[in-house]
Amino acid sequence: MPPTPAAQHPPSSATDDPLVLVVDDDDGMREAVVDLLRSVGIESRAFGSTAELLAATVPDRPGCLILDVRLPGLGGLEFQTRLTSLGIALPIVFMTGFADVPMSVRAMKAGAADFLIKPFRDQDMLDAVEAAIARDRARRRERTASMTVEAQAATLTPREREVMAAVVKGRLNKQIAGDLGISEVTVKLHRGKVMRKMQVRSVADLVRKAEMLTLEE
């Protein structure tokens, strides 16, 4: 999804300000949702179809997607699957005029942030959007932290990686020396370098970062 050439509202200057994308083929509904979000200071951009959104350029900012289930071309649920396949984890708040329990269950199981039935209360939509934005902010923080840890780990030598793996498993310096066939003094030197490069002060912090690397793998 390249960022929106024809924005309905002027873009915010702060990259951390949320941006909500609204997709509905009903002009009146689109405008109503945009006006509702504007009333609480949330910037939004609206599209009449998922094809329009895919063709647009969307800034990389925290936010969510408000998506109608029934749309011309690629429908809401199919679009959710498309985004997942593209590795796009933007939280989705679905809305529909049809109370379809299996449909809502499918959407929620696939990771939807919420599923609202039209006509919905304004406050229900605002609550759903605020929760989705908070969820996206948390995801972005985790991604940033993960990228930082990966960059730190990339500075380790193969031997330092071996020592780190042994340390996080709870092996003592003497045991690591025996496992790797090196002196205990050498283990201490490698261990010190690992702690500095990974920017940690305790084994507990090192374990936490090692777990983040394992999750990414």
Side-chain angles (χ1 to χ4, degrees):
M1 284 169 356
T4 327
Q8 296 210 350
H9 308 291
S12 170
S13 58
T15 57
D16 195 49
D17 283 350
L19 174 65
V20 176
L21 308 175
V22 183
V23 183
D24 196 314
D25 60 336
D26 184 313
D27 294 345
M29 176 57 69
R30 279 202 313 277
E31 191 57 36
V33 173
V34 167
D35 287 344
L36 174 63
L37 296 174
R38 184 195 295 121
S39 73
V40 293
I42 298 177
E43 182 186 350
S44 64
R45 298 185 182 184
F47 307 87
S49 68
T50 51
E52 285 183 22
L53 175 55
L54 285 173
T57 300
V58 180
D60 184 19
R61 286 162 51 185
C64 70
L65 172 61
I66 299 176
L67 185 62
D68 191 25
V69 171
R70 296 176 185 266
L71 292 165
L74 196 64
L77 296 178
E78 292 73 23
F79 190 61
Q80 180 185 34
T81 301
R82 171 74 66 84
L83 292 183
T84 300
S85 69
L86 294 173
I88 298 174
L90 191 65
I92 300 175
V93 175
F94 278 104
M95 55 182 178
T96 180
F98 305 89
D100 187 325
V101 174
M103 183 185 296
S104 62
V105 170
R106 173 184 167 188
M108 298 303 287
K109 282 187 175 180
D114 213 328
F115 197 100
L116 303 178
I117 306 299
K118 300 174 184 177
F120 43 77
R121 293 172 56 247
D122 287 353
Q123 192 58 52
D124 288 340
M125 173 60 79
L126 292 176
D127 289 345
V129 168
E130 290 290 353
I133 291 173
R135 174 172 160 180
D136 194 44
R137 288 189 188 281
R139 177 187 65 82
R140 287 166 175 270
R141 285 193 298 269
E142 291 173 2
R143 183 180 65 182
T144 299
S146 177
M147 291 173 66
T148 299
V149 172
E150 288 176 8
Q152 292 168 348
T155 67
L156 300 177
T157 65
R159 178 63 84 187
E160 288 165 355
R161 281 180 170 273
E162 290 179 326
V163 170
M164 182 176 78
V167 170
V168 300
K169 289 178 181 177
R171 302 288 284 172
L172 302 176
N173 289 344
K174 185 175 182 179
Q175 294 172 318
I176 297 172
D179 293 340
L180 301 180
I182 57 180
S183 71
E184 192 171 344
V185 172
T186 301
V187 171
K188 290 180 180 179
L189 290 173
H190 285 312
R191 183 166 179 160
K193 289 180 180 179
V194 168
M195 301 295 278
R196 285 194 298 276
K197 289 182 178 181
M198 295 302 294
Q199 298 182 21
V200 294
R201 294 186 177 183
S202 69
V203 173
D205 287 339
L206 185 63
V207 169
R208 179 178 57 80
K209 288 194 171 184
E211 287 176 344
M212 291 175 66
L213 291 171
T214 301
L215 290 174
E216 286 300 313
E217 294 171 357

